[in-house]
Amino acid sequence: MAASKPVEPQGGPGIPHWKLALAVGAPLLLGAGAVYLWSRNRSSKRDNQRRTPEGRASPVPSAGSASQEAAPPPEMSPLEKAQAAKNKGNKYFKAGKFDQAIQCYTEAISLCPPEKKVDLSTFYQNRAAAYEQQQTWKEVVQDCTKAVELNPKYVKALFRRAKAHERLDNKKECLEDVTAVCILEGFQNQNSMLLADKVLKLLGKEKAKDKYKNREPLMPSPQFIKSYFSSFTDDIISQPLHKEEKSDEDKDKEGEAAVVKDKSGYLKAKQYMEEENYDKIISECTKEVEAKGKYTAEALLLRATFYLLIGNSAAAKPDLDQVISMENANVKLRANALIKRGSMYMQQQQPMLSTQDFNMAADIDPQNADVYHHRGQLKILLDQVDEAVADFDECIRLRPDSALAQAQKCFALYRKAYTGSNPLQIKSAMKGFEDVIKKFPKCAEGYALYAQALTDQQQFGKADEMYDQCIDLEPDNATTYVHKGLLQLQWKQDLDKGLDLISKAIEIDNKCDFAYETMGTIEVQRGNLDKAIEMFNKAINLAKSEMEMAHLYSLCDAAYAQTEVARKYGLKPPTL
């Protein structure tokens, strides 16, 4: 859609950002909702054990408090006395008598010899479990901390403390504890993964909300901007200046200066677009709007578009709203504004508002191919594949030469077949890709989407050839180098070549946040956490939406939590 990254294959890449770690075949500590989704069907038996105290319980004690119980036989050792007190506590715990259980565990702690660290850690953890039932979270944290100090790899105590930190809204401490748990469990327990994912998302949203509000607007690379506008065919503001609108190159300098001076702010902005002098466009459009010039509607739409490109949706929305409300304005301007506002809403995770805008655009300009093209991409994101295909078909009917729509239709059909595990439909979709690249051999998007489908099918050699074709057509497309780099990791486990290709992407476009994010993800898996954090921070500074920034903060926080866990407990996940 208009607000998505145009340099990536429209309609969703074959390897979404949050699945990058899985693509290279090694565990990554949680990229904002990723890993646990791949672990849903794995056993979570360990979590059931966390709800109860440890150790066998003695027979049910007679009525009365723990202090009324007969003392253990005098011949018992101090540790045996402590174990006996713990066993009584366990029985009280199972009976729901948590005050008595706490008293027994306290007795066990006082009786246990200090050198018996493992036993003592168990007693503290059991008392923490009783405090947990009473929802006294500070006491849970204190006892779990004692247990972990005595036994640093005590999974049950670490996880219980993580949950208590969550209740106390100590997100950073919760993340560190659950990170340690995930590493100790080998990323096999769904409940630990769910908690880690939850706290990462919360941290990411909090940080992004503050950072994004105060961020310095940053113009994307020229390649990104050109790719963005290339996704529209009925966009008036992206069309070249008409001949009569251009200044006369044969005039002398004095004459030229006069022509430029008299030209409207909007036409100057269009001239700057052709010169790729993008930083001056917003100010020139503002001049046109303030002067209430002939091209006010066009200037509002162009200014809104560049506000979106620099990630300032708050400034873009009033301009888009105004264009949409201009009933006398060119219908294509209004439809384009609706497409862009609908795409903005989708980025903000407001699919209902997004759908309303696309439907309104189709109502007011039913012959506009862009409406169906971009609405088709929205439908793919909403997993409404049949509706997406119908929209792409309508786009193709209106513009039979739309190679992009035909490639994306193939990708939608492939997604449907792949998720439905239908071999015949997969084969048909793959043939569809072959037909598209044969019919439109200059469409780089067709090769890129086909390559992603081939990667899914583990046809790595052919996928690599498709990426090469894409690079030949668009040698300045940084995203293609990133995808080709990931392919080398997945196919040949060639880390050096993969990193070289991603570094090449950064060399081509040093504002390619996708490249920095991917590099950071790989560095996490290599165990180079400081380098990973550096890469994620670079991507954060380039994020084009608050939602994207929140995702990147989640990745960065996950890496930082691993550095803390490594420092405190000497724990590190497997690396490449």
Side-chain angles (χ1 to χ4, degrees), residues 3 5 17 208 211-213 215-220 224 307-313 347 511-514 516-517 535-553:
K5 292 183 181 180
H17 290 184
K211 170 81 171 180
Y212 198 78
K213 181 173 60 177
R215 69 192 281 269
E216 287 291 328
L218 182 67
M219 191 67 67
F224 184 100
Y307 277 140
L308 289 173
L309 284 167
I310 64 175
N312 191 349
S313 57
Q347 274 198 332
K511 294 181 179 179
C512 181
D513 54 332
F514 181 40
Y516 290 117
E517 177 187 348
M535 293 295 104
F536 290 139
N537 279 322
K538 287 185 177 181
I540 286 166
N541 291 330
L542 294 165
K544 298 172 186 67
S545 71
E546 187 175 324
M547 185 174 70
E548 183 180 351
M549 186 178 283
H551 159 74
L552 291 164
Y553 265 122

Side-chain angles (χ1 to χ4, degrees), residues 320-552:
L320 294 171
D321 292 346
Q322 190 171 342
V323 175
I324 291 164
S325 66
M326 290 179 171
E327 294 185 2
N328 294 328
N330 187 310
V331 71
K332 292 201 178 298
L333 288 175
R334 296 175 63 211
N336 188 266
L338 282 162
I339 292 170
K340 289 171 180 173
R341 192 176 71 177
S343 298
M344 180 191 73
Y345 283 142
M346 195 61 194
Q347 274 198 332
Q348 296 171 348
Q349 296 183 303
Q350 300 183 71
M352 289 184 64
L353 290 176
S354 181
T355 300
Q356 287 173 11
D357 274 358
F358 279 108
N359 292 346
M360 190 187 304
D363 288 340
I364 67 171
D365 193 9
Q367 300 303 306
N368 189 328
D370 287 344
V371 175
Y372 305 102
H373 176 192
H374 289 271
R375 190 172 67 178
Q377 294 173 52
L378 167 69
K379 297 299 184 183
I380 288 178
L381 292 174
L382 296 176
D383 288 324
Q384 298 170 3
V385 180
D386 289 335
E387 294 181 35
V389 171
D391 273 337
F392 289 134
D393 279 337
E394 183 63 13
C395 177
I396 293 164
R397 185 187 71 79
L398 292 168
R399 286 192 176 274
D401 60 343
S402 177
L404 193 57
Q406 298 204 31
Q408 288 171 352
K409 175 187 173 181
C410 284
F411 191 75
L413 291 170
Y414 171 75
R415 285 262 316 253
K416 180 181 179 181
Y418 184 72
T419 55
S421 301
N422 188 318
L424 288 177
Q425 289 183 1
I426 290 173
K427 185 176 180 180
S428 175
M430 300 300 274
K431 184 181 183 302
F433 279 121
E434 291 281 359
D435 293 341
V436 167
I437 62 176
K438 186 179 293 184
K439 185 176 180 180
F440 302 101
K442 300 297 184 183
C443 177
E445 188 85 358
Y447 295 105
L449 291 173
Y450 189 25
Q452 290 167 37
L454 288 165
T455 302
D456 282 342
Q457 298 301 307
Q458 298 191 347
Q459 297 182 39
F460 300 125
K462 193 168 184 179
D464 196 44
E465 292 175 9
M466 294 301 104
Y467 282 131
D468 284 340
Q469 291 281 355
C470 190
I471 289 170
D472 286 343
L473 290 168
E474 294 184 350
D476 59 346
N477 191 328
T479 304
T480 306
Y481 285 92
V482 178
H483 282 299
K484 184 175 170 66
L486 284 169
L487 178 64
Q488 303 310 309
L489 296 173
Q490 189 175 0
W491 176 23
K492 298 180 178 178
Q493 291 76 53
D494 191 336
L495 186 61
D496 291 336
K497 187 172 182 180
L499 289 174
D500 284 346
L501 285 163
I502 297 168
S503 296
K504 176 70 172 177
I506 294 172
E507 181 183 328
I508 290 171
D509 180 4
N510 63 4
K511 294 181 179 179
C512 181
D513 54 332
F514 181 40
Y516 290 117
E517 177 187 348
T518 307
M519 184 77 81
T521 305
I522 294 170
E523 294 295 356
V524 166
Q525 295 178 77
R526 297 176 73 198
N528 298 332
L529 297 175
D530 290 338
K531 180 69 172 178
I533 292 168
E534 178 190 345
M535 293 295 104
F536 290 139
N537 279 322
K538 287 185 177 181
I540 286 166
N541 291 330
L542 294 165
K544 298 172 186 67
S545 71
E546 187 175 324
M547 185 174 70
E548 183 180 351
M549 186 178 283
H551 159 74
L552 291 164

Side-chain angles (χ1 to χ4, degrees), residues 24 116 176 210 380 452 498:
V24 290
K116 299 296 183 181
E176 289 178 14
D210 181 61
I380 288 178
Q452 290 167 37

Side-chain angles (χ1 to χ4, degrees), residues 131-146:
Y131 281 132
E132 183 180 53
Q133 294 299 316
Q134 296 182 328
Q135 299 187 17
T136 53
W137 306 113
K138 289 183 179 179
E139 285 77 6
V140 174
V141 169
Q142 290 170 1
D143 274 3
C144 286
T145 298
K146 288 284 188 181

Side-chain angles (χ1 to χ4, degrees), residues 72-270:
E75 66 273 10
M76 294 174 70
S77 69
L79 180 59
E80 289 171 332
K81 293 177 183 179
Q83 292 286 1
K86 178 204 70 174
N87 288 341
K88 290 178 186 178
N90 287 358
K91 197 61 187 180
Y92 280 127
F93 186 100
K94 290 182 179 179
K97 298 178 179 180
F98 302 116
D99 284 334
Q100 292 94 323
I102 289 168
Q103 189 173 351
C104 288
Y105 295 140
T106 302
E107 183 181 357
I109 290 167
S110 66
L111 291 170
C112 184
E115 66 272 13
K116 299 296 183 181
K117 292 185 177 182
V118 173
D119 297 283
L120 190 55
S121 68
T122 300
F123 304 153
Y124 275 113
Q125 197 283 142
N126 282 14
R127 191 169 70 176
Y131 281 132
E132 183 180 53
Q133 294 299 316
Q134 296 182 328
Q135 299 187 17
T136 53
W137 306 113
K138 289 183 179 179
E139 285 77 6
V140 174
V141 169
Q142 290 170 1
D143 274 3
C144 286
T145 298
K146 288 284 188 181
V148 172
E149 287 173 355
L150 293 161
N151 181 4
K153 296 183 180 181
Y154 199 167
V155 171
K156 191 177 289 189
L158 283 164
F159 189 68
R160 181 158 279 121
R161 187 171 68 177
K163 291 187 292 182
H165 277 312
E166 180 195 13
R167 292 302 189 101
L168 293 168
D169 201 32
N170 300 331
K171 298 183 186 66
K172 179 177 177 292
E173 293 81 0
C174 174
L175 179 59
E176 289 178 14
D177 280 347
V178 77
T179 295
V181 171
C182 289
I183 294 172
L184 287 166
E185 292 179 330
F187 301 90
Q188 298 297 306
N189 192 301
Q190 187 180 26
N191 291 283
S192 308
M193 307 287 270
L194 281 167
L195 178 57
D197 178 75
K198 178 181 178 182
V199 71
L200 279 168
K201 285 181 176 177
L202 289 172
L203 276 169
K205 285 180 180 179
E206 281 185 3
K207 292 183 177 181
K209 186 175 183 180
D210 181 61
K211 170 81 171 180
Y212 198 78
K213 181 173 60 177
N214 300 306
R215 69 192 281 269
E216 287 291 328
L218 182 67
M219 191 67 67
S221 67
Q223 195 277 333
F224 184 100
I225 294 170
K226 286 184 285 186
S227 295
Y228 178 91
F229 282 110
S230 72
S231 66
F232 296 92
T233 55
D234 280 328
D235 183 2
I236 293 173
I237 63 170
S238 65
Q239 302 304 315
L241 282 168
H242 297 304
K243 187 174 182 181
E244 60 271 17
E245 295 172 339
K246 294 185 178 181
S247 57
D248 188 351
E249 295 180 359
D250 293 332
K251 294 182 180 291
D252 58 27
K253 291 183 179 180
E254 183 179 346
E256 283 186 8
V259 171
V260 173
K261 184 177 179 180
D262 293 339
K263 189 182 292 185
S264 76
Y266 172 69
L267 294 180
K268 284 185 181 179
K270 291 271 287 184

